[in-house]
Amino acid sequence: MTSATLAPSSGTHPDDTQPDASVATLRLRQHRYVRSLVIIDAIVVAVAVLAGYVGRFYDTPAIGVEVPYYVILPVLAVVWLLSLKGLRCYDDRVLGYGADEYRRIFTASLRVAGGVAIAGYIVDIGVARGFLAISFALGTVLLIVARWVARKRLHRQRTKGQGWARRVLVVGDAPHVLELVHTLRREPYAGYHVVGACIPDALLAPVPQRLGDVPVVGSFRNILDAVAATGVDTVAVTASGELTAGRLRRLGWQLEGTDVDLVLAPALTDVAGPRIHTRPVAGLPLIHVESPEFRGGRKLIKELIDRSLALLVTLAALPVMIAIALAIKIDSRGPVIFRQTRVGLDSKEFGVFKFRTMVTNADALLAELTAKNETDGLMFKMRNDPRVTRVGRFLRKWSLDELPQLFNVLLGHMSLVGPRPPLPSEVARYDGDLARRLLVKPGMTGLWQVSGRSDLSWEDGVRLDLFYVENWSLAADLTILWKTVGAVVRSRGAY
């Protein structure tokens, strides 16, 4: 973790100069992005209602309705778009990150479909149910897909520093400010760009200061002045003993009507939303955190889904696996399958199956390469490992060497999604925190794979594994499986 070091400012920080120009540029990008979403949604809705009409009446005339369809189609499209706006599907607080954006689109479409069905039944204007079913089913799917495509483009722009992002002022104690800054910068595509910090009055010096490379722009006494000076649109408050409930409440009052959002970053981290529930007690919003679920009905369903999908994929990939086996046999001497001891659920050891990608004496050569390790922590990773065969390099690039792990899933040793299966030598050096990775089955893929694999540091890999253990869900598993396809295609971090 970054040390909480307050240092005098040296030189000019990019965010210190011409803040008004930066704010204007970001707001222009924001308005353009929202405007593009409105245009895309209008096109999608128009295509959906036209497709519904053509799909229902392509071979029969539209008869038996009191209101002609050339009136129904535009009215339905306008009502649909108004429903999207009414449910704040263009609210910048939900755009570009999280599932709430998709949830609102689905809810808005469902409400319009239900409202039209009820109104059609009451008024009895004879609108074809097939037309409505095709329109809403197709339109809802296309709206969500279009938002996903727009979001991916926005993420790429944000990662390059070119997209619309929120300017953030972080308020809190120095160590917590640094921790929050590090967390926000870990995922730049989320769009939270820290431009300054406010720290307790006791730590403020008469000369310009920095927390790392973040300029200190004020104290707790002049937060509003700092907001005006930096042109931020978000104030993120993290832990501090001096920020009492009364002081925080007054800050919220002061920010009313300023178009500046107040965000609270609790000290409780790496806990997913579904496990967090707010319960008002005596006027206090108490946060209730549910315990992780390691047994029960959901685990049984996960087990059934794992084995069913693994069986289907195994049958589909069998010709590919046979071809890979032949290629390995022709390329180098040795067995086709490499079986290595790993540690799984409840610290039980098992043999993980992989296609052999290295020479047969790879373990004996490891001692000579230890000094060339390119990762930190307990793993050994080397981008150009001389032990890897020609076929093995190809298999690793496209993650084909891991296909035999499907048999581990069928045998119940592994899951399709889970933490990375560790070696016994790694587990022997686990502390209490790391041992929690063994509370669930290891996976063929996981957050570590869709987030960069070998490009990740040891600390980030462990953090992702522990996050999965604490917050796993069936929906998250499906999302990770979907993202795994993209990660394999891009071959990011595979070597």
Side-chain angles (χ1 to χ4, degrees), residues 37-46 48 80-81 84 89-90 101-102 104-106 108-110 135-150:
L37 291 183
V38 174
I39 294 173
I40 291 171
D41 288 352
I43 294 173
V44 167
V45 168
W80 200 341
L81 291 172
L84 292 172
C89 294
Y90 307 105
E101 180 179 3
Y102 304 130
R104 291 188 186 190
I105 291 174
F106 180 81
S109 302
L110 188 63
S135 297
F136 284 114
L138 178 63
T140 302
V141 172
L142 290 181
L143 283 171
I144 293 176
V145 171
R147 286 297 182 95
W148 179 82
V149 173

Side-chain angles (χ1 to χ4, degrees), residues 375-450:
T375 187
D376 53 355
L378 306 180
M379 291 188 299
F380 176 85
K381 286 290 181 180
M382 187 175 174
R383 191 173 296 273
N384 295 309
D385 195 327
R387 301 174 298 165
V388 180
T389 63
R390 288 176 301 173
V391 171
R393 202 167 300 281
F394 175 83
L395 296 179
R396 287 189 169 204
K397 180 179 180 180
W398 302 108
S399 299
L400 295 173
D401 59 315
E402 298 175 359
L403 282 177
Q405 292 178 22
L406 289 167
F407 294 103
N408 288 116
V409 178
L410 292 174
L411 292 171
H413 300 148
M414 296 178 64
S415 172
L416 289 177
V417 181
R420 184 188 63 84
L423 293 164
S425 58
E426 296 175 28
V427 175
R429 290 179 282 175
Y430 275 5
D431 57 17
D433 291 343
L434 293 180
R436 292 188 65 80
R437 297 169 75 186
L438 306 177
L439 292 176
V440 299
K441 289 182 180 180
M444 288 185 63
T445 185
L447 287 173
W448 48 275
Q449 179 151 358
V450 300

